[in-house]
Amino acid sequence: MKGKSNILIIIPTFNERENISIIMKQIIETISNVDILVVDDDSPDGTAKEVVSFSKVTKTKIDIIVRKGVRGLGSAYTTGFKYGLKHQYDVIITMDADLSHNPEHLPGFLDAIEHNDIVVGSRYIKHGGTINWRIRRILLSWLANKFARFVLGLEGHDLTSGFRAYSRPVLETIDLDKIKSNGYSYLVEMLFLTQKKGAHITEIPIVFYDRKMGKSKISKQEIYRGAFTLLRLRFFSHEH
Ligand SMILES: Nc1nc2c(ncn2[C@@H]2O[C@H](COP(=O)(O)OP(=O)(O)OP(=O)(O)O)[C@@H](O)[C@H]2O)c(=O)[nH]1
Ligand SMILES: [Mg+2]
């Protein structure tokens, strides 16, 4: 029988067929008592089929939500968070599918979430880093973080990192449907909203590996939209 644990790992996916089973296997080998939810946006490459096949050969509870006719990392997170809240998980972790987020860090997240509301895996603090990232990506990410810190007065150093742990109560303090960002800026908006509510947010160092398989989804349009979102949050945050 599959025992229900109170830790959920959410993995948003779009065309990650080559990576998804590898990451799920690594997660299960690192921490045994977790459930996994994949939120897939009807990937044409058959990611969902791969998830279902894998779920049949493991004891770990693996669920998948396939969203049809919608796309977006942010709204995929929201779908996952709502599932996590509905099913009474105490700790909800988000991870990328593309093997950039090393499951070896998971025990560190679980330790830190005991005393914090949100734990962010940070590339930009001591002992954190990026491996195989092209200089353009490093610069872009660094700049985005500086900009977000400056514009929004956020305390973290890696505000766009998607490797995070949330305690259930902190997700209950905000109205997930009001988060308007739907890309990387969703991650910044989440920190902005929770920090305003007085959440205890901490960072732990992670080493981030560049994706080896599958395609990147980041676009120029996404970057400009992200910058615009931060300005909207700064000047129109009374909406929340
Ligand atoms: N459900 C869903 N997941 C997405 C979407 N866009 C990206 N993802 C997933 O979100 C995670 C992060 O996206 P990535 O494409 O790796 O973004 P990135 O790390 O900034 O860029 P690269 O690693 O260079 O590709 C991965 O697991 C993606 O499959 C989307 O529109 N919907
Ligand atoms: Mg990636």
Side-chain angles (χ1 to χ4, degrees):
M1 211 183 88
K2 296 190 178 186
K4 190 177 177 337
S5 75
N6 62 0
I7 304 161
L8 178 70
I9 299 191
I10 299 170
I11 310 176
T13 55
F14 191 72
N15 288 344
E16 302 285 4
R17 184 177 46 80
E18 297 151 294
N19 296 313
I20 190 66
S21 294
I22 303 173
I23 187 71
M24 289 195 291
K25 190 164 174 283
Q26 288 179 355
I27 290 169
I28 293 164
E29 281 168 3
T30 312
I31 44 171
S32 50
N33 60 334
V34 291
D35 294 350
I36 297 174
L37 172 70
V38 175
V39 183
D40 181 65
D41 286 355
D42 208 13
S43 301
D45 76 343
T47 303
K49 226 172 122 193
E50 182 69 30
V51 174
V52 173
S53 312
F54 184 83
S55 72
K56 289 183 180 148
V57 296
T58 175
K59 285 204 193 79
T60 300
K61 183 172 185 279
I62 296 173
D63 212 344
I64 179 162
I65 297 177
V66 178
R67 307 192 309 160
K68 306 230 178 206
V70 262
R71 267 291 309 276
L73 180 56
S75 67
Y77 282 135
T78 293
T79 299
F81 291 144
K82 285 185 178 171
Y83 172 102
L85 293 175
K86 184 173 159 214
H87 293 88
Q88 307 295 324
Y89 287 95
D90 296 320
V91 176
I92 297 173
I93 294 174
T94 56
M95 268 179 97
D96 289 355
D98 60 356
L99 313 178
S100 291
H101 295 159
N102 190 340
E104 270 179 22
H105 296 302
L106 286 169
F109 278 90
L110 294 177
D111 281 347
I113 199 68
E114 299 256 329
H115 314 285
N116 290 281
D117 300 313
I118 301 178
V119 182
V120 178
S122 177
R123 294 161 285 193
Y124 308 122
I125 57 175
K126 203 175 169 197
H127 303 303
T130 48
I131 296 198
N132 286 342
W133 248 24
R134 280 156 293 137
I135 189 78
R136 189 177 157 269
R137 283 298 297 276
I138 295 173
L139 269 173
L140 193 65
S141 172
W142 184 84
L143 219 104
N145 273 290
K146 286 280 175 223
F147 184 66
R149 250 176 94 99
F150 175 72
V151 174
L152 297 176
L154 290 167
E155 278 153 24
H157 298 85
D158 197 346
L159 308 165
T160 53
S161 166
F163 199 178
R164 295 181 177 179
Y166 299 86
S167 69
R168 187 182 53 205
V170 80
L171 291 176
E172 283 169 341
T173 61
I174 54 169
D175 186 350
L176 292 166
D177 289 319
K178 286 236 175 88
I179 305 184
K180 294 210 182 93
S181 319
N182 197 11
Y184 299 89
S185 43
Y186 180 100
L187 292 159
V188 181
E189 183 161 3
M190 182 58 114
L191 292 179
F192 179 68
L193 296 177
T194 50
Q195 187 178 297
K196 268 209 308 193
K197 298 270 181 191
H200 286 272
I201 302 168
T202 195
E203 290 185 314
I204 60 168
I206 59 158
V207 176
F208 182 98
Y209 299 83
D210 195 15
R211 89 154 55 234
K212 290 197 191 72
M213 294 178 284
K215 284 209 180 83
S216 179
K217 283 115 214 161
I218 195 164
S219 66
K220 273 216 184 75
Q221 196 196 8
E222 169 70 48
I223 296 158
Y224 296 129
R225 218 186 305 133
F228 180 75
T229 300
L230 302 191
L231 294 170
R232 172 179 61 73
L233 286 175
R234 168 67 178 80
F235 296 107
F236 301 99
S237 63
H238 56 269
E239 285 168 20
H240 290 282

